C-alpha cells in the first residue's frame, strides 16, 4: 500500500523515499504532464464565484454587460475534487463506491457555462458529477480553449479510474 494510505490526505511526495513504487506519486506526475502538454490554465474558484454573483446581480438589470466569467473562453475543463470519506454515490441509474482521495473530472463546455453549474450548491441532479459534488469539494479548476475532453480522458485512463463514471455523452 502506497500513496494516500501511507501519507494521509496530504501526501508528502517530495520527502518520500519510495516515489518510484508509489502509484499516487506516478499518477500525480502523469497529471502534471497532461496539464503541461495541453497548456491547461488553472483558474481560481473564488474568481469564478465572484463572477457568478456579478452575473446574478446584473441579470436583474435591463442593460446587462458580459462578466469576466463569460470572457473566460474555454472548451475543456478538469476539476480536481477531494472526497474526504468513503461514499456510495447513487446516481439515477448506477451506484459507485468511492474511497477517500483526489479525483479528476474532465468535461467540455459545449452548451454554456458548465463551471457555474458545478459550483452551484442547489441544482437538479442529473449528471454523475452532480451526485458526487454533493459529498466532495472542488479544489482546483483547469481550463483550455481547445476541445480536448476525450483526449485528456483517454490519457487519464492510465490512472486508476472509476469505470462508468461520467462519460455518458462521449463516443468511447
Amino acid at each position: 500500500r502506497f500513496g494516500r494510505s501511507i501519507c494521509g490526505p496530504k501526501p508528502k511526495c517530495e520527502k518520500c523515499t519510495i516515489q518510484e513504487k508509489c502509484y499516487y506519486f506516478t499518477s500525480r506526475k502523469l497529471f502534471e504532464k497532461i496539464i503541461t502538454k495541453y497548456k491547461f490554465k488553472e483558474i481560481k474558484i473564488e474568481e469564478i464565484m465572484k463572477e457568478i454573483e456579478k452575473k446574478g446581480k446584473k441579470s436583474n438589470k435591463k442593460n446587462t454587460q458580459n462578466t469576466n466569467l463569460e470572457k473566460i473562453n474555454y472548451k475543456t475543463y478538469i476539476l480536481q475534487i477531494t472526497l474526504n470519506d468513503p461514499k456510495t454515490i447513487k446516481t439515477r441509474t448506477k451506484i459507485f463506491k468511492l474511497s477517500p482521495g483526489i479525483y479528476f473530472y474532465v468535461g467540455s463546455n459545449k452548451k454554456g457555462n458548465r463551471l457555474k453549474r458545478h459550483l452551484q450548491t442547489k441544482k437538479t441532479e442529473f449528471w454523475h458529477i452532480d451526485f458526487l459534488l454533493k459529498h466532495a469539494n472542488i479544489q482546483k479548476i483547469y481550463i483550455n480553449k481547445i476541445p480536448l475532453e476525450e483526449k485528456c480522458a483517454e490519457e487519464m485512463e492510465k490512472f486508476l479510474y472509476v469505470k462508468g463514471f461520467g462519460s455518458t455523452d462521449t463516443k468511447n
Side-chain angles (χ1 to χ4, degrees):
R1 298 178 61 187
F2 300 106
R4 70 174 182 263
S5 59
I6 291 176
C7 301
K10 292 192 178 183
K12 300 159 192 77
C13 295
E14 292 73 27
K15 298 176 184 177
C16 184
T17 58
I18 57 166
Q19 289 178 352
E20 67 282 349
K21 296 179 186 176
C22 178
Y23 180 79
Y24 179 81
F25 178 80
T26 55
S27 295
R28 193 176 123 193
K29 288 297 177 191
L30 177 61
F31 178 71
E32 289 169 5
K33 283 182 184 176
I34 292 169
I35 293 298
T36 303
K37 176 180 178 179
Y38 293 114
K39 298 178 180 155
F40 275 87
K41 175 186 170 192
E42 182 180 347
I43 57 172
K44 303 288 180 204
I45 295 171
E46 299 81 26
E47 291 173 21
I48 295 170
M49 295 305 290
K50 285 179 189 175
E51 295 304 324
I52 290 170
E53 287 174 24
K54 279 185 195 176
K55 187 174 182 178
K57 289 176 186 175
K58 288 182 180 182
S59 66
N60 296 330
K61 297 179 182 178
K62 287 182 182 178
N63 188 9
T64 59
Q65 298 175 345
N66 285 344
T67 64
N68 288 337
L69 185 59
E70 291 157 331
K71 292 176 188 170
I72 299 172
N73 182 19
Y74 64 96
K75 300 289 183 197
T76 308
Y77 61 90
I78 301 174
L79 305 178
Q80 181 178 322
I81 302 165
T82 301
L83 182 64
N84 292 322
D85 301 305
K87 291 287 179 194
T88 299
I89 307 294
K90 295 178 184 177
T91 68
R92 294 177 299 132
T93 58
K94 295 181 180 180
I95 297 174
F96 301 95
K97 293 185 184 221
L98 302 179
S99 300
I102 297 171
Y103 292 85
F104 296 98
Y105 181 83
V106 182
S108 63
N109 188 39
K110 293 176 187 169
K111 297 182 180 180
N113 199 331
R114 292 272 174 93
L115 293 180
K116 178 180 175 183
R117 177 179 175 76
H118 295 319
L119 293 168
Q120 289 174 331
T121 52
K122 295 180 181 177
K123 61 186 161 215
T124 302
E125 293 157 349
F126 184 77
W127 304 108
H128 292 168
I129 189 68
D130 296 336
F131 295 91
L132 172 59
L133 290 176
K134 283 189 338 187
H135 308 284
N137 300 307
I138 298 173
Q139 299 298 313
K140 294 183 180 179
I141 300 173
Y142 301 89
I143 59 171
N144 193 302
K145 294 180 179 186
I146 302 168
L148 296 165
E149 179 184 14
E150 290 187 41
K151 280 184 184 179
C152 289
E154 284 175 18
E155 288 196 40
M156 292 175 92
E157 284 180 357
K158 296 173 187 167
F159 302 167
L160 285 177
Y161 63 96
V162 181
K163 188 162 179 66
F165 190 91
S167 68
T168 56
D169 62 347
T170 59
K171 296 173 192 167
N172 298 335

